[in-house]
Amino acid sequence: MTDIILLGHGSGGKLSHQLLDELIIPTLSGVAQRDQNDAAVLNHGGQRLAFTTDSYVVDPIFFPGGNIGDLAINGTVNDLAMAGARPVAVSVGLILEEGLPLEDLRRILASMKQAAQSAGVAIVTGDTKVVPRGKADKIFINTSGIGVFDHDYEVRGSGARVGDKILINGSIGDHGMAILASREGLDLEADIRTDSAALHELVAEIIAAGGEAVHALRDPTRGGVATTLKEIALQSQVDITLEEAAQPVRQEVAGACAILGLDPLFVANEGKLLAVVAPEAAESVLAVMRRHPHGAEATIIGEVTGASDGKVFMRTAIGGLRAIEMLAGEQLPRIC
Amino acid sequence: MCLGVPMQVKSIANGIAVCEIDGVRREASLMMVEGVEVGDFVLIHAGFAIEKLDEADAEQTLQLFREVLASGGGPA
Amino acid sequence: MKYSSEFRDPAVAKKLIEQIGEAVAGFDGQMTLMEVCGTHTMAIYQHGIRALLPKSIRLISGPGCPVCVTPVSYVDHAVALARRPGTLITTFGDMVRVPGSSSSLQREKARGADVRIVYSPLDAVALAEKTPEKQIVFLGVGFETTTPTVAGAILEARRRGLSNFFALCANKTIPGPMAALAGDPELKVDGYICPAHVSAIIGAEAYRPLAEQLKVPCVVTGFEPLDMLQGVLMLARQIVAGEARVETQYSRIVKPGGNPKARAILEEVFEPCDTAWRGIGVIPQSGLKIRESYAAFDAERQLPVAVEEPREAKGCMCGEILKGKVTPTECPLFRQACTPENPIGACMVSSEGTCAAEYKYGT
């Protein structure tokens, strides 16, 4: 590991994992890599509770289809949902930079309220700090959330088994490319909107339909589908093979990726989930997903092909095979 | 370092073209190419059109592929 | 997608692979095909092409990644400029992670240097106009595809009357090392998969001496999967027939004489010079430097800085890998000390480097 923090440590990819596994987790707790999930599951007086926290530092703070506010609510709702929980309450911590226009804050708060209402969660506590100009970038938001369980199933990243199908609820890479395209300097003009959405209702229906056949759930945020599947493969000690031809990518996202030399598989999503489902239940779960507004384009993108130390492969459209690793460093536009 | 993308020219003003691929648009300099018109396909590299795509030639290559496909040559 | 997805048809790919098999069916021994473009390196891994070819065809990667062949002293120079007060470094994405002797641009950025990633050298010119109080340095790295864009940016900076735009150039030309490697008996290159977009500028004719004098078949090949399979097929047929010609598979873009206007722009601003290639050494007249008449835009001349004594990482086999003599997995550092997030050699840091491609996509 390096002696200073690099931007890549926040990319959600391999550097982030190193920082977590080698410094943060050993210092603060003792959770093994296999047990790292989007939310902690606590046993309190015989009742299971899910607990999670997440911070939002996105630039720009307004982007097509959303802003940092609804992102902060949906992201934490989704982290609870991926543990199989029903989100109940969230906290909101605001770090504001001196000089932030009040109108911007007003817009962000309004969309947070709306996102919380439509997700059915209450914003129950919060905190506000202001830092001198230049000590933060306009606004940072931290949200924590608590969820409860309406079922007895355990959903985690380590449950994938040989033969399982990999399902996704729609197109890949929309959020990351919406952010990149609207960022100053790249000057791309494209109708790409974030996919930011609260997924807990979809998760509830997946669990209701699939029950214990749902072996793992995770939202492929930073680092994209590639990094998330690699995490699941490592946690579950299995091989996963994806079909290149089956990857759902919107035309505009593909075009923007082509220009910038990026691979959509490594681009962030904020309204997508990957479900690892036993083969006999895959079709029925898929049907349920497709009936939900956030899963209309749900599809099977691959399967668990063997027991191993956690490899992910892509069967390419022309029949070749390539390995998929976690995102290394930052996802940088390249011309090479 | 030679990533290049074929994009279609949508408009031209002052030697700068707005080019499009899959609904994504970006400006590119036409400094290095001659006689490019709206509707042409150009190869974009690092913000410059570096060559005009020869559509008739591309069609020939694709025709050759269609013939390859139609030919026997091993099990289908 | 127009003129991209049509060149990815799996059914055609299957037929082309069959035809390649037929072409080499009676061929005794092994043929070594070298590509000298990082984008080819990436594409071969990305589409999983190696495993689809007959065992008798071996694909190796040459010195085609501009970041990888750039000597460590260049990175040190860029790091020194990044530390210079009032200096803003602009660069293509891949350069920021390249390790120099004691630092990298990514580290300097973390320590407070102003390092920005741009998509086009023209974006750096626009930044110079918007930021007159700073010296804007663009890192000019690349082959014939990219060098005209650096030249174009310098011409644009002159047109706008900017005195705060500079380029630090380590631009290179590819036919020189191709000839050097073709003559290397240890390597035995049987055919060249010639670069797609470099050739758009220099033209297919540039490879004629390789084919005629050194008797190495050359096929200018595009980057889409069908392009590459067809390019391999054309090379295999030449090799089996004992021929050595220049052919162009990628004729929708590449003309025999290349792009004269782009070359004129390049030659207006740049002139040939001797230059060092990582792993290969100095190749006469294979580099490009800014002409005296454009010295006002040359960071090396205008912004003098003290550059540390270059130190190469110990045990790194990038040099041998760049020559195609060693594959990444044969390097003792590969996947151990040297990984994409902690690269030791340049072949690992650039996403189109042979080691990074093997790490990321190799099976």
Side-chain angles (χ1 to χ4, degrees):
Chain A
M1 212 161 43
T2 59
D3 56 337
I4 53 174
I5 289 292
L6 304 173
L7 212 49
H9 283 116
S11 66
K14 208 149 180 185
L15 273 181
S16 307
H17 279 261
Q18 265 179 15
L19 186 65
L20 269 176
D21 294 338
E22 292 172 24
L23 180 65
I24 297 178
I25 289 177
T27 311
L28 296 181
S29 84
V31 185
Q33 194 189 35
R34 281 175 65 94
D35 294 326
Q36 288 173 30
N37 286 295
D38 290 324
V41 178
L42 310 173
N43 267 302
H44 185 74
Q47 204 194 348
R48 284 197 301 157
L49 285 177
F51 180 45
T52 191
T53 189
D54 209 336
S55 299
Y56 298 83
V57 297
V58 63
D59 168 40
I61 55 175
F62 297 100
F63 42 83
N67 64 54
I68 191 170
D70 43 55
L71 196 66
I73 298 296
N74 289 341
T76 286
V77 163
N78 289 347
D79 281 348
L80 294 169
M82 295 312 134
R86 172 165 57 85
V88 175
V90 296
S91 70
V92 172
L94 300 172
I95 295 172
L96 310 176
E97 184 193 15
E98 181 184 26
L100 177 76
L102 215 54
E103 184 49 37
D104 286 359
L105 183 58
R106 203 171 275 136
R107 274 176 70 192
I108 289 165
L109 294 174
S111 50
M112 291 184 88
K113 183 182 173 194
Q114 203 185 1
Q117 271 176 351
S118 71
V121 294
I123 298 173
V124 292
T125 183
D127 177 54
T128 306
K129 296 283 188 296
V130 179
V131 298
R133 198 176 182 108
K135 302 286 180 190
D137 188 9
K138 298 182 266 300
I139 176 170
F140 296 156
I141 302 178
N142 173 276
T143 49
S144 298
I146 289 181
V148 296
F149 290 84
D150 299 327
H151 54 79
D152 295 326
Y153 302 118
E154 275 193 32
V155 187
R156 51 205 325 158
S158 55
R161 293 174 217 168
V162 177
D164 286 356
K165 302 288 183 191
I166 315 290
L167 283 60
I168 191 163
N169 61 320
S171 57
I172 290 170
D174 297 6
H175 176 73
M177 289 320 288
I179 297 291
L180 214 51
S182 56
R183 197 170 283 175
E184 197 189 349
L186 291 176
D187 301 322
L188 294 183
E189 196 190 306
D191 182 20
I192 304 175
R193 301 164 69 80
T194 178
D195 58 347
S196 173
L199 299 174
H200 59 293
E201 286 174 357
L202 179 61
V203 168
E205 296 200 15
I206 289 171
I207 290 174
E212 57 192 16
V214 182
H215 292 160
L217 277 177
R218 186 153 285 176
D219 51 345
T221 54
R222 292 171 311 164
V225 168
T227 303
T228 302
L229 283 178
K230 185 74 183 176
E231 286 169 2
I232 292 174
L234 282 170
Q235 283 186 307
S236 307
Q237 298 286 291
V238 293
D239 280 350
I240 292 173
T241 304
L242 301 175
E243 288 295 327
E244 187 173 54
Q247 305 304 309
V249 180
R250 270 187 218 296
Q251 180 184 286
E252 291 81 2
V253 170
C257 281
I259 294 172
L260 299 176
L262 303 177
D263 184 341
L265 215 56
F266 292 88
V267 176
N269 310 276
E270 288 291 346
K272 291 294 150 14
L273 63 80
L274 291 162
V276 183
V277 181
E280 62 277 9
E283 284 303 327
S284 59
V285 170
L286 191 64
V288 163
M289 286 169 79
R290 285 184 177 157
R291 279 199 294 274
H292 193 276
H294 293 321
E297 295 169 44
T299 185
I300 295 176
I301 58 169
E303 60 181 48
V304 179
T305 41
S308 81
D309 50 354
K311 293 193 173 68
V312 181
F313 299 104
M314 171 83 86
R315 172 70 58 191
T316 70
I318 60 164
L321 195 68
R322 73 183 220 220
I324 305 279
E325 290 292 334
M326 279 187 193
L327 175 65
E330 281 176 274
Q331 172 88 310
L332 298 175
R334 61 185 188 96
I335 61 135
C336 311
Chain B
M1 194 168 281
C2 296
L3 198 75
V5 186
M7 296 175 79
Q8 190 173 32
V9 175
K10 290 293 172 182
S11 64
I12 301 175
N14 304 320
I16 303 286
V18 173
C19 303
E20 185 183 286
I21 176 176
D22 285 346
V24 182
R25 293 177 179 220
R26 208 215 185 257
E27 285 188 349
S29 167
L30 295 180
M31 192 190 283
M32 286 181 213
V33 282
E34 304 245 32
V36 168
E37 289 169 22
V38 171
D40 287 348
F41 281 82
V42 287
L43 189 80
I44 303 297
H45 171 74
F48 288 81
I50 62 166
E51 189 53 281
K52 200 164 128 178
L53 187 137
D54 187 329
E55 292 184 58
D57 203 296
E59 184 47 42
Q60 266 180 28
T61 306
L62 290 171
Q63 180 56 33
L64 185 80
F65 288 153
R66 283 190 281 270
E67 284 163 19
V68 164
L69 200 55
S71 75
Chain C
M1 228 184 268
K2 195 109 197 253
Y3 300 114
S4 301
S5 50
E6 306 93 313
F7 296 89
R8 295 174 192 167
D9 186 330
V12 177
K14 203 172 159 203
K15 286 284 184 188
L16 287 171
I17 293 161
E18 284 168 13
Q19 292 195 350
I20 291 169
E22 287 161 16
V24 299
F27 184 75
D28 197 18
Q30 198 172 49
M31 55 177 78
T32 299
L33 309 183
M34 180 182 257
E35 38 80 11
V36 288
C37 175
T39 310
H40 274 139
T41 311
M42 283 285 280
I44 287 166
Y45 280 102
Q46 207 171 354
H47 300 294
I49 286 178
R50 241 182 214 105
L52 296 172
L53 297 178
K55 297 246 178 304
S56 53
I57 297 180
R58 180 169 157 254
L59 297 182
I60 60 170
S61 300
C65 160
V67 172
C68 305
V69 296
T70 300
V72 75
S73 58
Y74 176 86
V75 181
D76 294 340
H77 197 152
V79 162
L81 282 170
R83 289 175 180 163
R84 187 181 174 276
T87 311
L88 193 164
I89 302 286
T90 53
T91 174
F92 295 135
D94 277 14
M95 278 302 287
V96 299
R97 292 216 303 269
V98 188
S101 297
S102 65
S103 186
S104 66
L105 289 167
Q106 137 181 289
R107 285 182 63 89
E108 293 307 313
K109 182 166 174 275
R111 286 180 173 142
D114 200 344
V115 178
R116 300 193 200 176
I117 290 155
V118 290
Y119 166 74
S120 166
L122 288 177
D123 300 343
V125 174
L127 200 59
E129 193 163 40
K130 232 172 56 185
T131 326
E133 72 281 6
K134 287 200 170 192
Q135 282 86 52
I136 313 300
V137 177
F138 178 76
L139 301 184
V141 172
F143 294 116
E144 292 93 329
T145 321
T146 311
T147 314
T149 71
V150 182
I154 288 175
L155 292 177
E156 181 63 19
R158 169 176 277 193
R159 195 182 69 80
R160 296 192 196 183
L162 300 178
S163 57
N164 65 329
F165 175 81
F166 308 92
L168 181 70
C169 288
N171 297 78
K172 289 179 161 54
T173 54
I174 198 77
M178 286 175 79
L181 294 174
D184 189 331
E186 226 183 295
L187 207 54
K188 209 184 83 63
V189 176
D190 297 305
Y192 269 125
I193 299 171
C194 296
H197 295 155
V198 160
S199 307
I201 307 295
I202 67 175
E205 283 299 303
Y207 308 106
R208 190 179 283 276
L210 282 172
E212 290 183 353
Q213 290 157 31
L214 297 168
K215 305 288 177 220
V216 183
C218 292
V219 175
V220 176
T221 305
F223 292 131
E224 298 294 345
L226 296 191
D227 289 328
M228 283 186 294
L229 290 172
Q230 198 189 13
V232 167
L233 177 63
M234 289 162 82
L235 276 172
R237 283 180 174 157
Q238 277 199 51
I239 292 165
V240 169
E243 295 170 352
R245 288 176 285 122
V246 178
E247 290 183 285
T248 303
Q249 180 279 329
Y250 192 43
S251 51
R252 63 187 184 274
I253 291 290
V254 176
K255 305 294 156 231
N259 179 343
K261 203 171 173 192
R263 274 208 315 281
I265 288 171
L266 188 156
E267 282 158 22
E268 166 70 19
V269 177
F270 287 95
E271 61 183 337
C273 64
D274 296 352
T275 193
W277 293 65
R278 207 170 190 162
I280 299 177
V282 173
I283 299 177
Q285 302 296 292
S286 68
L288 291 165
K289 63 173 186 189
I290 296 174
R291 286 183 191 276
E292 189 59 43
S293 44
Y294 289 89
F297 301 97
D298 188 350
E300 203 169 340
R301 290 173 171 113
Q302 304 300 330
L303 308 174
V305 281
V307 180
E308 64 189 302
E309 195 61 35
R311 266 184 306 131
E312 291 276 353
K314 276 207 183 68
C316 171
M317 296 183 83
C318 269
E320 297 299 293
I321 289 166
L322 282 169
K323 279 190 279 192
K325 289 187 177 175
V326 163
T327 60
T329 47
E330 294 173 73
C331 174
L333 303 182
F334 183 73
R335 271 186 206 276
Q336 306 298 318
C338 185
T339 60
E341 52 284 355
N342 185 24
I344 290 174
C347 301
M348 183 61 92
V349 70
S350 169
S351 60
E352 65 174 25
T354 309
C355 295
E358 170 71 35
Y359 187 96
K360 201 167 164 200
Y361 299 123
T363 53

